[in-house]
CSV table of all heavy atoms in Angstrom, one decimal:
chain,number,residue,atom,x,y,z
A,274,MET,N,308.6,25.9,113.2
A,274,MET,CA,309.3,25.3,112.1
A,274,MET,C,310.8,25.2,112.5
A,274,MET,O,311.5,24.2,112.3
A,274,MET,CB,309.1,26.0,110.8
A,274,MET,CG,309.9,25.5,109.6
A,274,MET,SD,309.5,26.4,108.2
A,274,MET,CE,311.0,26.1,107.3
A,275,LEU,N,311.4,26.3,113.0
A,275,LEU,CA,312.8,26.4,113.3
A,275,LEU,C,313.1,25.9,114.7
A,275,LEU,O,314.2,26.0,115.2
A,275,LEU,CB,313.3,27.8,113.1
A,275,LEU,CG,313.2,28.3,111.7
A,275,LEU,CD1,313.7,29.8,111.6
A,275,LEU,CD2,314.0,27.5,110.7
A,276,ASN,N,312.1,25.4,115.4
A,276,ASN,CA,312.3,24.9,116.8
A,276,ASN,C,313.2,23.7,116.9
A,276,ASN,O,313.9,23.5,117.9
A,276,ASN,CB,311.0,24.7,117.5
A,276,ASN,CG,310.2,25.9,117.7
A,276,ASN,OD1,310.7,27.0,117.7
A,276,ASN,ND2,308.9,25.8,117.8
A,277,ASN,N,313.2,22.9,115.9
A,277,ASN,CA,313.9,21.6,116.0
A,277,ASN,C,315.1,21.5,115.0
A,277,ASN,O,315.4,20.4,114.5
A,277,ASN,CB,312.9,20.4,115.7
A,277,ASN,CG,311.8,20.4,116.7
A,277,ASN,OD1,312.0,20.7,117.8
A,277,ASN,ND2,310.6,20.0,116.2
A,278,ILE,N,315.8,22.6,114.8
A,278,ILE,CA,317.0,22.5,113.9
A,278,ILE,C,318.1,21.6,114.5
A,278,ILE,O,318.5,20.7,113.9
A,278,ILE,CB,317.5,23.9,113.6
A,278,ILE,CG1,316.5,24.6,112.6
A,278,ILE,CG2,318.8,23.8,112.9
A,278,ILE,CD1,316.9,26.0,112.3
A,279,GLY,N,318.5,22.0,115.7
A,279,GLY,CA,319.5,21.2,116.3
A,279,GLY,C,320.9,21.4,115.8
A,279,GLY,O,321.1,22.2,114.8
A,280,LEU,N,321.9,20.8,116.3
A,280,LEU,CA,323.3,20.9,115.9
A,280,LEU,C,323.6,20.4,114.5
A,280,LEU,O,324.3,21.1,113.8
A,280,LEU,CB,324.2,20.2,117.0
A,280,LEU,CG,325.7,20.4,116.8
A,280,LEU,CD1,326.1,21.9,116.9
A,280,LEU,CD2,326.5,19.6,117.8
A,281,PRO,N,323.1,19.3,114.1
A,281,PRO,CA,323.4,18.8,112.8
A,281,PRO,C,322.8,19.8,111.7
A,281,PRO,O,323.5,20.0,110.7
A,281,PRO,CB,322.7,17.4,112.7
A,281,PRO,CG,322.6,17.0,114.1
A,281,PRO,CD,322.4,18.2,114.9
A,282,GLY,N,321.6,20.3,112.0
A,282,GLY,CA,321.1,21.3,111.0
A,282,GLY,C,321.9,22.5,110.9
A,282,GLY,O,322.1,23.1,109.8
A,283,LEU,N,322.4,23.0,112.0
A,283,LEU,CA,323.2,24.2,112.0
A,283,LEU,C,324.5,24.0,111.3
A,283,LEU,O,325.0,24.8,110.6
A,283,LEU,CB,323.5,24.7,113.5
A,283,LEU,CG,322.3,25.3,114.2
A,283,LEU,CD1,322.7,25.6,115.6
A,283,LEU,CD2,321.8,26.5,113.5
A,284,LEU,N,325.1,22.8,111.5
A,284,LEU,CA,326.4,22.5,110.8
A,284,LEU,C,326.1,22.4,109.3
A,284,LEU,O,327.0,22.8,108.5
A,284,LEU,CB,326.9,21.2,111.4
A,284,LEU,CG,327.5,21.2,112.8
A,284,LEU,CD1,327.9,19.8,113.2
A,284,LEU,CD2,328.7,22.2,112.8
A,285,LEU,N,325.0,21.8,108.9
A,285,LEU,CA,324.7,21.7,107.5
A,285,LEU,C,324.5,23.1,106.9
A,285,LEU,O,325.0,23.4,105.8
A,285,LEU,CB,323.4,20.9,107.3
A,285,LEU,CG,323.0,20.7,105.8
A,285,LEU,CD1,324.0,20.0,105.0
A,285,LEU,CD2,321.6,20.0,105.8
A,286,ILE,N,323.8,24.0,107.6
A,286,ILE,CA,323.7,25.4,107.1
A,286,ILE,C,325.0,26.1,107.0
A,286,ILE,O,325.3,26.8,106.0
A,286,ILE,CB,322.7,26.1,108.0
A,286,ILE,CG1,321.3,25.6,107.9
A,286,ILE,CG2,322.7,27.6,107.7
A,286,ILE,CD1,320.3,26.1,108.9
A,287,ALA,N,325.9,25.9,108.0
A,287,ALA,CA,327.2,26.5,108.0
A,287,ALA,C,328.0,26.0,106.8
A,287,ALA,O,328.7,26.8,106.1
A,287,ALA,CB,328.0,26.2,109.3
A,288,VAL,N,328.0,24.7,106.5
A,288,VAL,CA,328.7,24.2,105.3
A,288,VAL,C,328.2,24.7,104.0
A,288,VAL,O,329.0,25.1,103.1
A,288,VAL,CB,328.7,22.6,105.4
A,288,VAL,CG1,329.2,22.0,104.1
A,288,VAL,CG2,329.5,22.1,106.5
A,289,VAL,N,326.9,24.8,103.9
A,289,VAL,CA,326.3,25.3,102.7
A,289,VAL,C,326.7,26.8,102.5
A,289,VAL,O,327.0,27.2,101.4
A,289,VAL,CB,324.7,25.2,102.7
A,289,VAL,CG1,324.1,25.9,101.6
A,289,VAL,CG2,324.4,23.7,102.6
A,290,VAL,N,326.6,27.6,103.5
A,290,VAL,CA,327.0,29.0,103.4
A,290,VAL,C,328.5,29.1,103.0
A,290,VAL,O,328.9,29.9,102.2
A,290,VAL,CB,326.7,29.7,104.8
A,290,VAL,CG1,327.4,31.1,104.8
A,290,VAL,CG2,325.2,29.9,105.0
A,291,LEU,N,329.4,28.3,103.6
A,291,LEU,CA,330.8,28.3,103.2
A,291,LEU,C,331.0,27.9,101.8
A,291,LEU,O,331.8,28.5,101.1
A,291,LEU,CB,331.6,27.4,104.1
A,291,LEU,CG,331.9,27.9,105.5
A,291,LEU,CD1,332.6,26.9,106.4
A,291,LEU,CD2,332.9,29.1,105.4
A,292,VAL,N,330.3,27.0,101.3
A,292,VAL,CA,330.4,26.6,99.9
A,292,VAL,C,329.9,27.6,99.0
A,292,VAL,O,330.5,27.9,98.0
A,292,VAL,CB,329.7,25.2,99.7
A,292,VAL,CG1,329.6,24.9,98.2
A,292,VAL,CG2,330.4,24.1,100.4
A,293,LEU,N,328.8,28.3,99.3
A,293,LEU,CA,328.2,29.3,98.4
A,293,LEU,C,329.0,30.6,98.4
A,293,LEU,O,329.2,31.1,97.3
A,293,LEU,CB,326.8,29.6,98.8
A,293,LEU,CG,325.7,28.5,98.6
A,293,LEU,CD1,324.4,28.9,99.1
A,293,LEU,CD2,325.6,28.2,97.1
A,294,PHE,N,329.5,31.0,99.5
A,294,PHE,CA,330.1,32.4,99.6
A,294,PHE,C,331.6,32.3,99.8
A,294,PHE,O,332.3,33.3,99.5
A,294,PHE,CB,329.5,33.2,100.8
A,294,PHE,CG,328.0,33.4,100.6
A,294,PHE,CD1,327.1,32.8,101.3
A,294,PHE,CD2,327.6,34.3,99.6
A,294,PHE,CE1,325.7,33.0,101.2
A,294,PHE,CE2,326.2,34.6,99.4
A,294,PHE,CZ,325.3,33.9,100.2
A,295,GLY,N,332.1,31.3,100.2
A,295,GLY,CA,333.6,31.2,100.4
A,295,GLY,C,334.0,31.7,101.8
A,295,GLY,O,333.3,32.5,102.4
A,296,ARG,N,335.2,31.3,102.2
A,296,ARG,CA,335.7,31.7,103.5
A,296,ARG,C,335.9,33.2,103.6
A,296,ARG,O,335.6,33.8,104.7
A,296,ARG,CB,337.0,30.9,103.8
A,296,ARG,CG,337.4,31.0,105.2
A,296,ARG,CD,338.6,30.2,105.4
A,296,ARG,NE,339.8,30.8,104.7
A,296,ARG,CZ,341.0,30.6,105.0
A,296,ARG,NH1,341.4,29.8,105.9
A,296,ARG,NH2,342.0,31.2,104.3
A,297,GLY,N,336.4,33.8,102.6
A,297,GLY,CA,336.7,35.3,102.7
A,297,GLY,C,335.5,36.1,102.9
A,297,GLY,O,335.4,37.0,103.7
A,298,LYS,N,334.4,35.8,102.1
A,298,LYS,CA,333.2,36.6,102.3
A,298,LYS,C,332.5,36.4,103.6
A,298,LYS,O,332.1,37.3,104.2
A,298,LYS,CB,332.2,36.2,101.2
A,298,LYS,CG,332.6,36.6,99.8
A,298,LYS,CD,332.1,38.0,99.6
A,298,LYS,CE,332.3,38.3,98.1
A,298,LYS,NZ,332.0,39.6,97.8
A,299,VAL,N,332.5,35.1,104.1
A,299,VAL,CA,331.9,34.8,105.4
A,299,VAL,C,332.7,35.5,106.5
A,299,VAL,O,332.1,36.1,107.4
A,299,VAL,CB,331.8,33.3,105.6
A,299,VAL,CG1,331.3,33.0,107.0
A,299,VAL,CG2,330.9,32.7,104.6
A,300,SER,N,334.0,35.5,106.4
A,300,SER,CA,334.9,36.1,107.4
A,300,SER,C,334.6,37.6,107.5
A,300,SER,O,334.5,38.2,108.5
A,300,SER,CB,336.3,35.9,107.1
A,300,SER,OG,337.2,36.6,108.0
A,301,SER,N,334.6,38.3,106.3
A,301,SER,CA,334.3,39.7,106.3
A,301,SER,C,332.9,40.0,106.8
A,301,SER,O,332.7,41.0,107.5
A,301,SER,CB,334.6,40.3,104.9
A,301,SER,OG,333.6,39.8,104.0
A,302,LEU,N,332.0,39.2,106.4
A,302,LEU,CA,330.6,39.4,106.9
A,302,LEU,C,330.5,39.3,108.4
A,302,LEU,O,329.9,40.1,109.1
A,302,LEU,CB,329.7,38.4,106.3
A,302,LEU,CG,328.2,38.4,106.7
A,302,LEU,CD1,327.6,39.7,106.3
A,302,LEU,CD2,327.4,37.2,106.2
A,303,MET,N,331.2,38.3,109.0
A,303,MET,CA,331.2,38.2,110.5
A,303,MET,C,331.9,39.4,111.1
A,303,MET,O,331.5,39.8,112.2
A,303,MET,CB,331.8,36.9,110.9
A,303,MET,CG,331.0,35.6,110.6
A,303,MET,SD,329.4,35.7,111.4
A,303,MET,CE,328.4,35.8,110.0
A,304,GLY,N,332.9,39.9,110.5
A,304,GLY,CA,333.6,41.1,111.0
A,304,GLY,C,332.6,42.3,111.0
A,304,GLY,O,332.6,43.0,112.0
A,305,GLU,N,331.9,42.4,110.0
A,305,GLU,CA,330.9,43.5,109.9
A,305,GLU,C,329.8,43.3,111.0
A,305,GLU,O,329.3,44.3,111.6
A,305,GLU,CB,330.3,43.7,108.5
A,305,GLU,CG,331.3,44.1,107.5
A,305,GLU,CD,331.9,45.5,107.8
A,305,GLU,OE1,331.1,46.4,108.2
A,305,GLU,OE2,333.1,45.6,107.5
A,306,VAL,N,329.4,42.1,111.2
A,306,VAL,CA,328.3,41.8,112.2
A,306,VAL,C,328.9,42.2,113.6
A,306,VAL,O,328.2,42.8,114.4
A,306,VAL,CB,327.9,40.4,112.1
A,306,VAL,CG1,327.1,40.0,113.4
A,306,VAL,CG2,327.1,40.1,110.9
A,307,GLY,N,330.1,41.9,113.8
A,307,GLY,CA,330.8,42.2,115.1
A,307,GLY,C,330.8,43.7,115.3
A,307,GLY,O,330.6,44.2,116.4
A,308,LYS,N,331.2,44.4,114.3
A,308,LYS,CA,331.3,45.9,114.4
A,308,LYS,C,329.9,46.5,114.6
A,308,LYS,O,329.7,47.4,115.4
A,308,LYS,CB,331.8,46.5,113.1
A,308,LYS,CG,333.3,46.3,112.9
A,308,LYS,CD,333.8,46.8,111.6
A,308,LYS,CE,335.2,46.5,111.3
A,308,LYS,NZ,335.7,47.0,110.0
A,309,GLY,N,328.9,45.9,114.0
A,309,GLY,CA,327.5,46.4,114.2
A,309,GLY,C,327.0,46.1,115.6
A,309,GLY,O,326.4,47.0,116.2
A,310,ILE,N,327.4,45.0,116.2
A,310,ILE,CA,327.0,44.7,117.6
A,310,ILE,C,327.7,45.6,118.5
A,310,ILE,O,327.1,46.2,119.5
A,310,ILE,CB,327.3,43.2,117.9
A,310,ILE,CG1,326.3,42.3,117.1
A,310,ILE,CG2,327.2,43.0,119.4
A,310,ILE,CD1,326.7,40.8,117.2
A,311,THR,N,329.0,45.9,118.3
A,311,THR,CA,329.7,46.8,119.1
A,311,THR,C,329.1,48.2,119.0
A,311,THR,O,329.0,48.9,120.1
A,311,THR,CB,331.2,46.9,118.7
A,311,THR,OG1,331.7,45.5,118.7
A,311,THR,CG2,332.0,47.8,119.5
A,312,ALA,N,328.8,48.7,117.8
A,312,ALA,CA,328.2,50.0,117.7
A,312,ALA,C,326.8,50.1,118.4
A,312,ALA,O,326.5,51.1,119.0
A,312,ALA,CB,328.0,50.4,116.2
A,313,PHE,N,326.0,49.0,118.3
A,313,PHE,CA,324.7,49.0,119.0
A,313,PHE,C,324.9,49.1,120.5
A,313,PHE,O,324.2,49.9,121.1
A,313,PHE,CB,324.0,47.7,118.6
A,313,PHE,CG,322.7,47.6,119.3
A,313,PHE,CD1,321.6,48.3,118.8
A,313,PHE,CD2,322.5,46.7,120.3
A,313,PHE,CE1,320.4,48.2,119.5
A,313,PHE,CE2,321.3,46.6,121.0
A,313,PHE,CZ,320.2,47.4,120.5
A,314,LYS,N,325.8,48.3,121.0
A,314,LYS,CA,326.1,48.4,122.5
A,314,LYS,C,326.5,49.8,122.9
A,314,LYS,O,326.1,50.3,123.9
A,314,LYS,CB,327.1,47.3,122.9
A,314,LYS,CG,326.6,45.9,122.9
A,314,LYS,CD,327.7,45.0,123.3
A,314,LYS,CE,327.2,43.6,123.4
A,314,LYS,NZ,328.2,42.6,123.8
A,315,LYS,N,327.4,50.4,122.1
A,315,LYS,CA,327.9,51.7,122.4
A,315,LYS,C,326.7,52.7,122.4
A,315,LYS,O,326.6,53.6,123.2
A,315,LYS,CB,329.0,52.1,121.4
A,315,LYS,CG,329.6,53.5,121.7
A,315,LYS,CD,330.7,53.8,120.8
A,315,LYS,CE,331.4,55.1,121.2
A,315,LYS,NZ,330.8,56.2,120.6
A,316,GLY,N,325.9,52.6,121.4
A,316,GLY,CA,324.7,53.5,121.3
A,316,GLY,C,323.8,53.3,122.5
A,316,GLY,O,323.3,54.3,123.0
A,317,VAL,N,323.5,52.1,122.9
A,317,VAL,CA,322.7,51.9,124.1
A,317,VAL,C,323.3,52.5,125.3
A,317,VAL,O,322.6,53.1,126.1
A,317,VAL,CB,322.4,50.4,124.3
A,317,VAL,CG1,321.8,50.1,125.6
A,317,VAL,CG2,321.5,49.8,123.1
A,318,ASN,N,324.6,52.3,125.5
A,318,ASN,CA,325.3,52.8,126.7
A,318,ASN,C,325.3,54.4,126.7
A,318,ASN,O,325.1,55.0,127.7
A,318,ASN,CB,326.7,52.3,126.8
A,318,ASN,CG,326.8,50.9,127.2
A,318,ASN,OD1,325.9,50.3,127.8
A,318,ASN,ND2,327.9,50.2,126.8
A,319,ASP,N,325.5,55.0,125.5
A,319,ASP,CA,325.5,56.4,125.4
A,319,ASP,C,324.1,57.0,125.7
A,319,ASP,O,323.9,58.0,126.4
A,319,ASP,CB,325.9,56.9,124.0
A,319,ASP,CG,327.4,56.7,123.8
A,319,ASP,OD1,328.1,56.4,124.8
A,319,ASP,OD2,327.8,56.7,122.6
A,320,GLY,N,323.0,56.3,125.2
A,320,GLY,CA,321.7,56.7,125.5
A,320,GLY,C,321.3,56.6,126.9
A,320,GLY,O,320.7,57.5,127.5
A,321,THR,N,321.7,55.5,127.6
A,321,THR,CA,321.5,55.4,129.0
A,321,THR,C,322.2,56.5,129.8
A,321,THR,O,321.7,57.0,130.7
A,321,THR,CB,322.0,54.0,129.5
A,321,THR,OG1,321.3,53.0,128.7
A,321,THR,CG2,321.7,53.8,130.9
A,322,LYS,N,323.5,56.7,129.4
A,322,LYS,CA,324.2,57.8,130.1
A,322,LYS,C,323.6,59.1,129.9
A,322,LYS,O,323.5,59.9,130.9
A,322,LYS,CB,325.7,57.8,129.6
A,322,LYS,CG,326.6,58.7,130.3
A,322,LYS,CD,328.0,58.6,129.9
A,322,LYS,CE,328.9,59.5,130.7
A,322,LYS,NZ,329.0,60.8,130.1
A,323,GLU,N,323.1,59.4,128.7
A,323,GLU,CA,322.5,60.7,128.5
A,323,GLU,C,321.2,60.9,129.3
A,323,GLU,O,321.0,61.9,129.9
A,323,GLU,CB,322.1,60.8,127.0
A,323,GLU,CG,321.6,62.1,126.6
A,323,GLU,CD,321.4,62.2,125.1
A,323,GLU,OE1,322.3,61.7,124.3
A,323,GLU,OE2,320.4,62.7,124.6
A,324,ILE,N,320.4,59.8,129.4
A,324,ILE,CA,319.2,59.9,130.3
A,324,ILE,C,319.6,60.1,131.7
A,324,ILE,O,318.9,60.9,132.4
A,324,ILE,CB,318.4,58.6,130.1
A,324,ILE,CG1,317.8,58.6,128.7
A,324,ILE,CG2,317.3,58.5,131.1
A,324,ILE,CD1,317.1,57.3,128.3
A,325,GLU,N,320.6,59.4,132.2
A,325,GLU,CA,321.0,59.5,133.6
A,325,GLU,C,321.5,60.9,133.9
A,325,GLU,O,321.2,61.5,134.9
A,325,GLU,CB,322.0,58.5,134.0
A,325,GLU,CG,321.5,57.1,134.1
A,325,GLU,CD,322.5,56.0,134.3
A,325,GLU,OE1,323.7,56.4,134.3
A,325,GLU,OE2,322.2,54.9,134.5
A,326,ASP,N,322.3,61.5,132.9
A,326,ASP,CA,322.8,62.9,133.1
A,326,ASP,C,321.7,63.9,133.1
A,326,ASP,O,321.7,64.8,133.9
A,326,ASP,CB,323.8,63.2,131.9
A,326,ASP,CG,325.1,62.4,132.0
A,326,ASP,OD1,325.3,61.9,133.1
A,326,ASP,OD2,325.8,62.4,131.0
A,327,ALA,N,320.6,63.7,132.3
A,327,ALA,CA,319.5,64.6,132.3
A,327,ALA,C,318.8,64.5,133.6
A,327,ALA,O,318.3,65.5,134.2
A,327,ALA,CB,318.5,64.2,131.2
A,328,LYS,N,318.6,63.3,134.2
A,328,LYS,CA,318.0,63.2,135.5
A,328,LYS,C,318.8,63.9,136.6
A,328,LYS,O,318.3,64.6,137.5
A,328,LYS,CB,317.8,61.7,135.9
A,328,LYS,CG,316.7,61.0,135.1
A,328,LYS,CD,316.6,59.6,135.6
A,328,LYS,CE,315.6,58.9,134.7
A,328,LYS,NZ,315.5,57.4,135.1
A,329,VAL,N,320.1,63.8,136.5
A,329,VAL,CA,321.0,64.4,137.5
A,329,VAL,C,320.9,66.0,137.4
A,329,VAL,O,320.8,66.7,138.4
A,329,VAL,CB,322.5,64.0,137.3
A,329,VAL,CG1,323.4,64.9,138.1
A,329,VAL,CG2,322.6,62.5,137.8
A,330,ASP,N,320.9,66.5,136.1
A,330,ASP,CA,320.7,67.9,135.9
A,330,ASP,C,319.4,68.5,136.5
A,330,ASP,O,319.3,69.6,137.0
A,330,ASP,CB,320.9,68.2,134.4
A,330,ASP,CG,322.3,68.1,133.9
A,330,ASP,OD1,323.2,68.1,134.8
A,330,ASP,OD2,322.5,68.0,132.7
A,331,GLU,N,318.3,67.7,136.3
A,331,GLU,CA,317.0,68.1,136.8
A,331,GLU,C,317.0,68.2,138.3
A,331,GLU,O,316.4,69.0,138.9
A,331,GLU,CB,315.9,67.2,136.3
A,331,GLU,CG,315.6,67.3,134.8
A,331,GLU,CD,314.5,66.3,134.4
A,331,GLU,OE1,314.0,65.6,135.2
A,331,GLU,OE2,314.3,66.3,133.2
A,332,ALA,N,317.6,67.2,138.9
A,332,ALA,CA,317.6,67.1,140.4
A,332,ALA,C,318.7,67.9,141.1
A,332,ALA,O,318.7,68.0,142.3
A,332,ALA,CB,317.7,65.7,140.8
A,333,ARG,N,319.6,68.5,140.3
A,333,ARG,CA,320.7,69.2,140.9
A,333,ARG,C,320.3,70.4,141.7
A,333,ARG,O,320.7,70.6,142.9
A,333,ARG,CB,321.7,69.6,139.8
A,333,ARG,CG,323.0,70.2,140.4
A,333,ARG,CD,324.0,70.4,139.3
A,333,ARG,NE,324.5,69.0,139.0
A,333,ARG,CZ,325.0,68.7,137.8
A,333,ARG,NH1,325.3,69.6,136.9
A,333,ARG,NH2,325.4,67.4,137.6
A,334,ASP,N,319.6,71.4,141.2
A,334,ASP,CA,319.3,72.7,141.8
A,334,ASP,C,317.8,72.7,142.3
A,334,ASP,O,316.9,72.9,141.5
A,334,ASP,CB,319.6,73.8,140.9
A,334,ASP,CG,319.5,75.2,141.6
A,334,ASP,OD1,319.5,75.2,142.9
A,334,ASP,OD2,319.4,76.2,140.9
A,335,VAL,N,317.6,72.5,143.6
A,335,VAL,CA,316.2,72.4,144.1
A,335,VAL,C,316.0,73.6,145.0
A,335,VAL,O,314.9,73.7,145.6
A,335,VAL,CB,315.9,71.1,144.7
A,335,VAL,CG1,315.9,70.0,143.7
A,335,VAL,CG2,316.8,70.8,145.9
A,336,THR,N,317.0,74.4,145.3
A,336,THR,CA,316.8,75.5,146.3
A,336,THR,C,316.1,76.7,145.6
A,336,THR,O,316.4,77.0,144.4
A,336,THR,CB,318.1,76.0,146.8
A,336,THR,OG1,319.0,76.3,145.8
A,336,THR,CG2,318.8,74.8,147.6
A,337,PRO,N,315.1,77.3,146.2
A,337,PRO,CA,314.5,78.5,145.6
A,337,PRO,C,315.4,79.7,145.6
A,337,PRO,O,316.3,79.8,146.4
A,337,PRO,CB,313.3,78.7,146.5
A,337,PRO,CG,313.6,78.1,147.8
A,337,PRO,CD,314.6,77.0,147.5
A,338,THR,N,315.3,80.5,144.6
A,338,THR,CA,316.1,81.7,144.5
A,338,THR,C,315.4,82.8,145.2
A,338,THR,O,314.2,82.9,145.3
A,338,THR,CB,316.2,82.1,143.0
A,338,THR,OG1,314.9,82.3,142.4
A,338,THR,CG2,317.0,81.0,142.2
A,339,PRO,N,316.2,83.7,145.9
A,339,PRO,CA,315.6,84.7,146.7
A,339,PRO,C,314.9,85.8,145.7
A,339,PRO,O,315.5,86.1,144.7
A,339,PRO,CB,316.7,85.3,147.5
A,339,PRO,CG,318.0,84.9,146.7
A,339,PRO,CD,317.6,83.6,146.0
A,340,THR,N,313.8,86.3,146.2
A,340,THR,CA,313.1,87.3,145.4
A,340,THR,C,313.0,88.6,146.2
A,340,THR,O,313.5,88.6,147.4
A,340,THR,CB,311.7,86.9,145.0
A,340,THR,OG1,311.0,86.6,146.2
A,340,THR,CG2,311.7,85.6,144.2
A,341,ASP,N,312.5,89.6,145.7
A,341,ASP,CA,312.4,90.9,146.4
A,341,ASP,C,311.5,90.8,147.6
A,341,ASP,O,311.7,91.4,148.6
A,341,ASP,CB,311.9,92.0,145.5
A,341,ASP,CG,312.9,92.4,144.4
A,341,ASP,OD1,314.1,92.2,144.6
A,341,ASP,OD2,312.4,92.8,143.3
A,342,LYS,N,310.5,89.9,147.5
A,342,LYS,CA,309.6,89.7,148.7
A,342,LYS,C,310.3,89.0,149.8
A,342,LYS,O,310.0,89.3,151.0
A,342,LYS,CB,308.4,88.9,148.3
A,342,LYS,CG,307.4,89.6,147.3
A,342,LYS,CD,306.3,88.7,147.0
A,342,LYS,CE,305.4,89.4,145.9
A,342,LYS,NZ,304.2,88.6,145.5
A,343,ASP,N,311.2,88.1,149.5
A,343,ASP,CA,311.9,87.4,150.6
A,343,ASP,C,312.9,88.3,151.3
A,343,ASP,O,313.2,88.1,152.5
A,343,ASP,CB,312.7,86.2,150.0
A,343,ASP,CG,311.7,85.2,149.4
A,343,ASP,OD1,310.6,85.1,149.9
A,343,ASP,OD2,312.2,84.4,148.6
A,344,LYS,N,313.5,89.3,150.6
A,344,LYS,CA,314.4,90.2,151.2
A,344,LYS,C,313.8,91.2,152.2
A,344,LYS,O,314.4,91.7,153.1
A,344,LYS,CB,315.2,91.0,150.1
A,344,LYS,CG,316.0,90.2,149.3
A,344,LYS,CD,316.7,91.0,148.2
A,344,LYS,CE,317.6,90.1,147.3
A,344,LYS,NZ,318.2,90.8,146.2
A,345,ALA,N,312.5,91.5,152.0
A,345,ALA,CA,311.9,92.5,152.9
A,345,ALA,C,311.4,92.0,154.2
A,345,ALA,O,311.4,90.9,154.6
A,345,ALA,CB,310.7,93.1,152.2
């Protein structure tokens, strides 16, 4: 159904939204959407970094520790 909207359909939807909600409401809504996208990207990057740090910590110390049997 939404495959054939095209540019004229999008412009019509934009005009209707502007008429219904006004420029101020649409502007503040777009600002909140932008903040949400930024927060989502930051969360994804933090999660990726946390996973990579966990992998580095697991692979850091691979040498066996000396025991009493090794000393004798």
Side-chain angles (χ1 to χ4, degrees):
M274 180 179 152
L275 297 177
N276 293 337
N277 298 327
I278 288 181
L280 186 61
L283 289 176
L284 289 175
L285 179 64
I286 291 171
V288 168
V289 170
V290 167
L291 279 173
V292 168
L293 289 177
F294 296 107
R296 191 178 66 159
K298 291 276 189 184
V299 172
S300 175
S301 65
L302 178 66
M303 290 299 116
E305 293 298 320
V306 168
K308 288 178 186 176
I310 291 171
T311 302
F313 178 76
K314 286 182 180 180
K315 184 177 185 274
V317 169
N318 288 337
D319 289 347
T321 304
K322 185 174 184 272
E323 187 175 315
I324 291 171
E325 289 174 357
D326 290 345
K328 287 180 182 178
V329 167
D330 288 341
E331 288 177 7
R333 184 168 292 158
D334 188 17
V335 294
T336 58
T338 57
T340 59
D341 291 335
K342 292 181 182 178
D343 293 338
K344 292 179 184 176

